Amino acid sequence: MTPQVALDVSPLSTLIGNSPAMRQVHRLVMRIGRSQFPVLILGETGTGKEVVARAIHNMEARGPFVVVDCSSLVGPLMESELFGYAKGAFTGAHTQKLGLLDAANGGTAFFDEIGELPLEMQMKLLRVLQQKEFRAVGSVAQRTSNFRVIAATNRNLAEEVKANRFRQDLYYRLNVIRLRLAPLRERAEDIPALVTYFLERYGNGHKATTELLSILQQYDWPGNVRELEHTVQRMIAMNSGPWLTPADLPNTVMVDQQKFLAATGQSSSHPVSLPSADSSNGVMPLAELEKRAILSALEYTKGDRTVAAAMLGIGRTTLYRKLKEYGL
Ligand SMILES: Nc1ncnc2c1ncn2[C@@H]1O[C@H](COP(=O)(O)OP(=O)(O)OP(=O)(O)O)[C@@H](O)[C@H]1O
Ligand SMILES: [Mg+2]
């Protein structure tokens, strides 16, 4: 029997990206994964804070990973959510209920959007982190729970502390190891790998042309990896494939591309540049070839479709049909 090839099941395999910034993240995750220190993850929305938190947790792979969404911990129910409640604690509390902190026992509590936690809850959380002890609502008995703390926010917590919106003592408590995730626009070299990953994950044999990849690398992705993921999903949903080209891009990315071309003084009459080389194997799909031929004919004739059709050796109606087909 041939020996089985070990599958890459490292938690790091879910963290796509080979930019210096991502490699640094990989190193940190590896180094801190097996420790029990609190980790504070900072980064804009959609940069992968939760993916990184899960990877850190999975390095040790024991116990549950419990997400505490701090932005939803508001109002009268927040304490019982976190700490649980005793039977009869309030009207409707017919049985005892365990809280999220109980659930995290032996694993990781991931405090997502920690910057949104109201001040009074910050104080209560600090006490729990110091003593690992808390009381369920309506109960006098102390409960203990042992969990690793990972917190994340897209706010500048140091600024929040200065503005007295975040407790300094809690900040120090959480900020033992800090990990900052760079926005996607600062690591555009990760985009091709991310796109390939999402195509494999959601696609049906879909592939991206090199032009598409280069346009995706020029866009500034305010919603970061999540926006890229949604863009790829949308393109897959709208196209049977296999090749996805710049013409398949949704308008948001397209408009930006037009701006880019205008700013760099290139023609913005159509968003596709016509580089001579394509994918690594040097083979270009016929549809892609056809599309490029049409585009360059139109460019040459400055948009005159009758002449372009003649140059291409096809009838005018065929040209119109193909323009529509390719969304040109
Ligand atoms: N490095 C990465 N490799 C693979 N997928 C990623 C990576 N970074 C982010 N993603 C994907 O992007 C999406 C957003 O990631 P995540 O939810 O971790 O972001 P976030 O920083 O927590 O965002 P928010 O601040 O909005 O909560 C997820 O679907 C995630 O799988
Ligand atoms: Mg998140």
Side-chain angles (χ1 to χ4, degrees), residues 239-258:
N239 295 279
S240 45
W243 287 95
L244 297 176
T245 75
D248 301 322
L249 279 169
N251 284 339
T252 40
V253 182
M254 213 57 165
V255 167
D256 215 72
Q257 165 70 2
Q258 303 275 8

Side-chain angles (χ1 to χ4, degrees), residues 14 16 51 194-206 229 232-233 236:
T14 58
I16 308 301
V51 196
L194 282 164
V195 171
T196 306
Y197 174 71
F198 294 138
L199 287 175
E200 274 168 17
R201 194 152 163 205
Y202 305 114
N204 201 355
H206 288 81
E229 184 174 13
V232 172
Q233 284 174 327
I236 288 168

